[in-house]
Amino acid sequence: MVTVATNRTFRHASDYRVFSELCKMWRLLLAFLVLSPTEANAQTISGTARVIDGDTIDIGGQRVRLHGIDAVEAEQTCKRNGERWSCGQDAKALLSSLADGKPVKCTQHDVDIYKRIVATCEAQWTDLGGAMIDAGLAVALPQFSRAYLENEALAKRRQTGIWGAEFDAPTEYRAAHPTAYRPAEQIKASPQASSRRPVLQRNHSNGVYYRNCAAAWAAGAAPIYRGQPGYRPEMDGDGDGVACEPYRRRR
């Protein structure tokens, strides 16, 4: 017979071992539930959506960026069958058909460098990020979510949307147009600079400067991580600390 501090008596030592293991499992489960974020604790944003571009909506004055994807920018063009294609406008039009003026529910994951909420959003039970990937009008961002990788692989095999065209990755397009896609902190710091293209200064701290991602790739330096020579926020379109990521363009 085994007696423990819990005042519980066990007839056999093996019974005590089983009880002890069960207690350990319950403690681990409790720690997991306390320390792990849950869907119930995540902030949700609901309301009528106004579409800004292929991966950004506005809900009651709050900008929301779709989590895990990067759509071609509204002003971006691609080349298909030898002709220019307004792929960015098509991306905006698709998201508008799914969400503009409709009730949307979003679950927040983060806040990006543009001060937008980053969230997974649904409109009438349709995952908006998944719909953009399925249409071939956005690329998946596996560093943030792996939820859309299979959908993207299928779109590639079918050459859907941009995968059947020549296109610049959205990150590279933004890097080539830094004035239009500056982080909120930079805009606040220089409110009068929006009317002119900023003069980019050489990074004197490390002596390395690349005019854009194309130059960084040509020099064999890309991708460039935050803190490495040549890294500039202007070249890190999605603000994840990696400038000039492998998604450059498809030819």
Side-chain angles (χ1 to χ4, degrees):
M1 183 177 292
V2 179
T3 303
V4 294
T6 60
N7 293 324
R8 185 181 182 93
T9 301
F10 297 89
R11 292 185 179 277
H12 303 286
S14 60
D15 294 335
Y16 171 68
R17 286 195 296 270
V18 171
F19 176 77
S20 178
E21 290 300 319
L22 287 173
C23 288
K24 289 180 182 178
M25 291 175 62
W26 277 111
R27 284 195 294 268
L28 289 172
L29 178 60
L30 180 61
F32 177 81
L33 292 175
V34 170
L35 296 176
S36 298
T38 64
E39 200 70 22
N41 293 328
Q43 180 180 351
T44 59
I45 307 97
S46 300
T48 302
R50 179 172 66 88
V51 171
I52 305 302
D53 58 27
D55 55 26
T56 308
I57 61 177
D58 183 288
I59 302 177
Q62 175 64 62
R63 293 291 172 93
V64 179
R65 170 72 151 76
L66 298 182
H67 177 65
I69 75 164
D70 197 5
V72 284
E73 297 294 341
E75 302 306 318
Q76 190 172 346
T77 60
C78 304
K79 192 174 182 180
R80 185 169 58 184
N81 298 325
E83 296 182 356
R84 284 291 170 186
W85 163 40
S86 299
C87 51
Q89 285 300 309
D90 279 3
K92 180 179 179 180
L94 174 60
L95 190 58
S96 295
S97 70
L98 296 170
D100 206 23
K102 299 174 183 176
V104 172
K105 181 178 180 181
C106 301
T107 302
Q108 181 176 355
H109 295 272
D110 203 350
V111 176
D112 69 7
I113 59 173
Y114 300 97
K115 303 302 183 184
R116 299 173 299 188
I117 289 174
V118 180
T120 301
C121 299
E122 292 185 356
Q124 298 177 331
W125 300 283
T126 297
D127 180 343
L128 299 180
M132 298 304 296
I133 292 290
D134 289 342
L137 293 171
V139 298
L141 299 176
Q143 66 270 39
F144 297 111
S145 173
R146 301 184 66 82
Y148 304 120
L149 293 183
E150 290 186 8
N151 301 60
E152 182 186 66
L154 180 59
K156 286 181 178 179
R157 288 197 299 270
R158 293 177 173 174
Q159 294 192 326
T160 305
I162 58 176
W163 304 113
E166 298 176 11
F167 71 97
D168 291 330
T171 52
E172 185 171 326
Y173 180 83
R174 290 191 293 271
H177 300 81
T179 304
Y181 301 101
R182 286 178 297 162
E185 292 83 356
Q186 294 183 16
I187 296 173
K188 184 177 181 180
S190 55
Q192 297 179 353
S194 60
S195 61
R196 64 183 185 277
R197 188 179 185 90
V199 177
L200 301 179
Q201 301 295 327
R202 180 178 297 275
N203 189 337
H204 296 288
S205 62
N206 56 45
V208 178
Y209 173 79
Y210 302 105
R211 183 175 181 274
N212 52 35
C213 284
W217 278 100
I224 309 172
Y225 294 84
R226 185 181 288 119
Q228 289 184 335
Y231 174 89
R232 290 187 292 113
E234 296 91 339
M235 298 163 69
D236 184 3
D238 53 12
D240 65 339
V242 184
C244 306
E245 295 170 271
Y247 265 121
R248 292 179 62 221
R249 65 183 66 193
R250 187 180 187 275
R251 286 285 183 261

